Amino acid sequence: MISIHNHRLNTTIFLYCLMILLSAPACNTASKQSAKKSADDSFESFTLRFLDDYWKQNPSAAISAGYGKYYELLKIPNQDAFDADIAFSKKYLDSLSHFNYEMLSGKYKTDYKILENQLRSTVWYIDTFRNQQWDPSYYNLSNDSYEIINQQFAPLNDRLKTLSQHLQYAPEYYRAALQIIHEPTREYTELAINQNEGGLDVFGQSLADSIRASSLTQPDRDSLQLRIGRTIAAMKQYVASLRKMLAVGTTTFRDFRIGKELYDRKFSYDIVTDYTPEEIYKLAVSAKNNYHRHMYTLANVLWPKYCSEKKKPEDTLLMIKTVIDAVSLHHAEPEHFVDTIKAQINALERFIIQHNLFDYDTTYPLQVRVMPAYMSGVSLASASQALPYANSAVTYYNISDLTAIPRERAESQLREHNHWMLSILSIHEGIPGHCLQGVYNSKSPDTIKAIFANGAMVEGWAVYTERMMLENGWGNQAPEMWLMFYKWSLRECCNVMVDYQMQCTDYQKSAFVNLLTNEAFQEKEQVEEKYHRAKVSQVQLCAYFTGATEINALRDAYRHQQGKAYSLKDFHEKFLSYGSAPVKYISELMINENKQ
Ligand code: ZN
Ligand code: ZN
């Protein structure tokens, strides 16, 4: 993939070399270099000014990034505020356009593109996509409040005072939200009810404990309590209003499907790739068929070991499913679940060192922990990467405590995440997936790329590492390991298929259930969860497969270019050194840098 501006850059380098060959006066080259340096310097100071202004304009984003400033601000979501966001973005798009893009070096060219995409996308989301009108779950004060209380940006007393200021206009916030909501989708309305109700916990017992532990003066304490009380009331009122919209017949709800036109634009803003949604869709379908062929071969190999007593089904997919079910009975027990994963992470660490896959040592700030209560109930395991501005660079691998849920549900979770699946999960969430990438991301001094992290790069990386580890011998090439790998991978390509069809076509639930149950071997509960998610997200489900497809293509190109000098470790170290930029931009930088 060589884009137009790469081409121009190459031409510049070529002329530059020619000048040296013709022994051009040294001052020419020197002045050219210093002009480039000063373009980079002024771009760098521009981004610092921009960022502080950006956080002030988007205090909620500042909280998510761990910036530690402007947390007291709460943007009341009325039309003026949205207009101001558009004006802000247009102003900075104009500032960007005054830079001579061609004079910037590779790193800054990429930052330029990332900022440009971010600002254009902000304008598009507000004036065209308009989810601020049809997604009531957009409005929720609990997440930011949780962060203000728990981030270590200031001593407890100051954090509580900040929270108090932040909540001062909570009633106005929810009133404005109700005014701007127009023809929401039923699904997002239900989601908003659940999430706002769930969010009330943030203002419960543990906050009361923090206030008691603080040394706030009595007046500060009283005013904080008053504002918390008003916030709770406003959230409940918001939930009640949304419930009423669902109950009475007078509200018009729009279809959850956004349609092809919006989908295409959202795909290009969110993913940032040269692939079209249709190209990715076709690749996903052919990957699915390819996985089925491999699984059929593997299931035949495993049949005598696991199913010799049974009659072999004629139907290919049913035969595969029979073997999967039998293999899935090998799993950890709820009591040993956390220890099993801890041991697995240690084994994965040893493996990537022994196989020379990364410049890794075990002092990397990575911790396995039981999932904190406020995150639990959503998934079996997850990764928490350090925030871009956080002082601590620790990334966490969070694991659910399965002894805390009913035995039957725990067993079902464990069959799904059986012995082999569990190690793929640990590769994806832990090492060398999200946690390891998080460590590299916080080592990278590249703020712009860390802040405006590209979801397809982040998910694509975790997916990329799954196959890479197996190819390098994780699981000893056991047929069980590969069978489960393909089952896992079917999720990723089916995610693309259902997302596209749900959002752009008249795809029905029966077809959805049929695909995931019969062709991706998923359980009823998983299928229902996915169906819900496919109605309250668009494009995001494509991030996994698209990102991994791009990374594999880049690795091929890089290997080809490097020839004998190529090593997998070198590819990984280089790739991760660019922070969480879109793979498309990393490709341009990696391939170019190497040509110089
Ligand atoms: Zn160019
Ligand atoms: Zn992931």
Side-chain angles (χ1 to χ4, degrees):
M1 257 185 292
I2 293 176
S3 72
I4 295 160
H5 80 259
N6 279 345
H7 178 74
R8 275 191 239 131
L9 189 68
N10 294 339
T11 315
T12 320
I13 294 158
F14 177 65
L15 291 175
Y16 183 56
C17 296
L18 204 66
M19 278 167 51
I20 296 167
L21 283 175
L22 297 174
S23 43
C27 62
N28 265 6
T29 5
S31 71
K32 190 158 186 181
Q33 264 170 350
S34 84
K36 257 193 165 331
K37 169 102 175 54
S38 95
D40 285 350
D41 286 348
S42 68
F43 191 77
E44 170 87 40
S45 51
F46 162 77
T47 56
L48 290 176
R49 281 195 314 278
F50 163 77
L51 280 174
D52 191 67
D53 219 12
Y54 180 80
W55 301 128
K56 200 193 237 162
Q57 183 71 21
N58 301 281
S60 181
I63 294 172
S64 306
Y67 190 55
K69 243 172 104 179
Y70 308 128
Y71 286 16
E72 70 285 359
L73 303 176
L74 174 66
K75 200 146 84 177
I76 305 301
N78 52 30
Q79 196 53 52
D80 286 351
F82 288 110
D83 290 346
D85 283 346
I86 291 185
F88 176 92
S89 301
K90 287 189 171 161
K91 177 184 130 192
Y92 274 104
L93 278 168
D94 181 65
S95 312
L96 265 184
S97 74
H98 291 115
F99 281 94
N100 185 348
Y101 176 83
E102 293 305 330
M103 283 303 284
L104 298 172
S105 55
K107 170 194 155 18
Y108 294 104
K109 276 196 165 86
T110 316
D111 287 355
Y112 181 108
K113 292 259 186 191
I114 290 172
L115 287 182
E116 186 180 53
N117 184 65
Q118 178 67 31
L119 295 166
R120 283 188 182 157
S121 128
T122 303
V123 174
W124 178 80
Y125 268 95
I126 296 171
D127 76 7
T128 308
F129 196 59
R130 298 190 188 168
N131 53 317
Q132 75 276 13
Q133 292 183 350
W134 50 260
D135 172 10
S137 76
Y138 191 97
Y139 308 101
N140 191 335
L141 289 180
S142 62
N143 295 337
D144 287 352
S145 299
Y146 178 86
E147 293 295 328
I148 293 171
I149 302 160
N150 289 287
Q151 278 181 23
Q152 303 297 314
F153 67 96
L156 178 64
N157 277 0
D158 295 338
R159 289 186 336 250
L160 290 172
K161 280 187 208 160
T162 302
L163 179 69
S164 186
Q165 285 174 282
H166 185 85
L167 294 178
Q168 189 177 0
Y169 300 108
E172 286 81 353
Y173 170 90
Y174 278 108
R175 263 205 296 281
L178 281 169
Q179 285 219 312
I180 212 145
I181 290 171
H182 175 69
E183 295 188 5
T185 78
R186 208 171 266 284
E187 292 76 11
Y188 274 115
T189 307
E190 287 161 359
L191 186 68
I193 292 172
N194 288 336
Q195 292 185 340
N196 273 278
E197 266 182 342
L200 287 170
D201 279 358
V202 170
F203 304 101
Q205 193 53 48
S206 82
L207 177 55
D209 293 344
S210 297
I211 296 172
R212 206 169 308 119
S214 74
S215 53
L216 285 185
T217 62
Q218 198 56 45
D220 281 347
R221 215 173 270 248
D222 292 344
S223 118
L224 174 57
Q225 294 286 12
L226 183 75
R227 286 171 183 176
I228 290 171
R230 281 195 193 140
T231 303
I232 293 172
M235 285 175 86
K236 286 184 172 165
Q237 180 58 46
Y238 184 60
V239 166
S241 307
L242 296 178
R243 271 196 212 292
K244 208 168 139 198
M245 288 167 68
L246 287 171
V248 301
T250 50
T251 314
T252 311
F253 290 99
R254 77 182 60 200
D255 193 350
F256 69 82
R257 300 174 206 269
I258 61 172
K260 172 129 178 69
E261 208 178 313
L262 291 177
Y263 187 91
D264 283 357
R265 291 293 294 280
K266 192 170 196 289
F267 190 90
S268 88
Y269 281 126
D270 292 1
I271 306 261
V272 187
T273 172
D274 289 331
Y275 289 105
T276 65
E278 286 73 23
E279 285 167 338
I280 285 299
Y281 183 88
K282 278 191 195 123
L283 287 171
V285 174
S286 91
K288 184 202 72 174
N289 295 334
N290 189 23
Y291 298 160
H292 281 164
R293 278 192 291 278
H294 286 297
M295 290 174 93
Y296 182 66
T297 309
L298 292 162
N300 269 313
V301 171
L302 291 167
W303 185 271
K305 185 171 168 189
Y306 289 89
C307 304
S308 59
E309 312 285 284
K310 293 181 186 138
K311 186 178 177 309
K312 219 179 204 178
E314 295 273 320
D315 181 84
T316 312
L317 293 175
L318 196 58
M319 196 279 280
I320 297 171
K321 170 139 175 55
T322 311
V323 177
I324 287 175
D325 287 347
V327 173
S328 299
L329 296 177
H330 296 256
H331 59 73
E333 291 310 312
E335 302 73 45
H336 305 132
F337 189 58
V338 173
D339 289 340
T340 305
I341 291 195
K342 281 188 176 161
Q344 211 162 54
I345 288 292
N346 286 334
L348 286 165
E349 280 183 329
R350 285 196 303 277
F351 186 91
I352 64 170
I353 294 168
Q354 275 164 10
H355 290 75
N356 209 24
L357 300 175
F358 294 88
D359 248 334
Y360 183 85
D361 68 73
T362 46
T363 62
Y364 273 33
L366 195 156
Q367 283 177 29
V368 184
R369 68 174 175 190
V370 174
M371 196 175 288
Y374 76 93
M375 298 182 175
S376 64
V378 182
S379 59
L380 191 66
S382 66
S384 307
Q385 297 190 346
L387 304 181
Y389 287 106
N391 298 324
S392 141
V394 178
T395 68
Y396 292 100
Y397 183 21
N398 311 304
I399 310 155
S400 290
D401 176 10
L402 288 180
T403 58
I405 66 170
R407 184 90 195 181
E408 206 171 308
R409 278 201 64 202
E411 283 286 330
S412 143
Q413 280 278 16
L414 287 165
R415 278 196 301 277
E416 175 62 28
H417 297 92
N418 56 62
H419 179 73
W420 294 277
M421 275 306 231
L422 197 58
S423 76
I424 304 174
L425 181 71
S426 288
I427 290 170
H428 181 105
E429 303 290 347
I431 293 180
H434 291 317
C435 288
L436 186 73
Q437 196 258 326
V439 171
Y440 278 78
N441 200 32
S442 40
K443 277 200 306 188
S444 148
D446 201 328
T447 335
I448 294 287
K449 294 181 183 74
I451 290 166
F452 301 109
N454 177 267
M457 182 277 171
V458 174
E459 288 303 347
W461 170 258
V463 172
Y464 159 80
T465 62
E466 297 156 8
R467 181 188 279 272
M468 183 277 291
M469 290 293 278
L470 265 64
E471 281 174 348
N472 282 280
W474 176 261
N476 299 316
Q477 308 294 349
E480 289 92 340
M481 189 77 233
W482 280 102
L483 181 70
M484 288 302 162
F485 166 78
Y486 288 121
K487 183 188 176 216
W488 176 283
S489 305
L490 281 170
R491 273 190 216 178
E492 290 144 7
C493 45
C494 288
N495 278 348
V496 170
M497 294 172 64
V498 299
D499 183 58
Y500 181 85
Q501 295 186 97
M502 287 280 278
Q503 295 298 330
C504 302
T505 75
D506 186 30
Y507 200 53
Q508 294 301 306
K509 187 170 181 186
S510 55
F512 184 103
V513 172
N514 180 49
L515 178 74
L516 294 192
T517 310
N518 299 326
E519 297 206 48
F521 312 105
Q522 295 187 5
E523 297 299 323
K524 196 169 183 294
E525 199 173 332
Q526 274 184 292
V527 175
E528 285 297 328
E529 266 169 38
K530 190 54 63 70
Y531 185 64
H532 172 72
R533 183 166 161 195
K535 289 189 290 182
V536 292
S537 72
Q538 314 82 23
V539 173
Q540 198 277 331
L541 283 169
C542 293
Y544 307 79
F545 182 82
T546 310
T549 302
E550 291 189 288
I551 295 172
N552 280 309
L554 169 58
R555 192 176 74 175
D556 285 348
Y558 188 70
R559 182 171 45 209
H560 185 74
Q561 191 192 51
Q562 292 274 301
K564 283 205 173 86
Y566 171 83
S567 84
L568 191 52
K569 179 179 178 167
D570 167 59
F571 170 73
H572 290 156
E573 290 294 320
K574 276 234 169 62
F575 180 79
L576 292 178
S577 73
Y578 295 104
S580 308
V583 181
K584 175 183 151 117
Y585 300 155
I586 299 180
S587 304
E588 290 170 3
L589 286 173
M590 269 180 86
I591 302 291
N592 260 324
E593 203 167 75
N594 198 49
K595 277 183 185 152
Q596 289 175 14

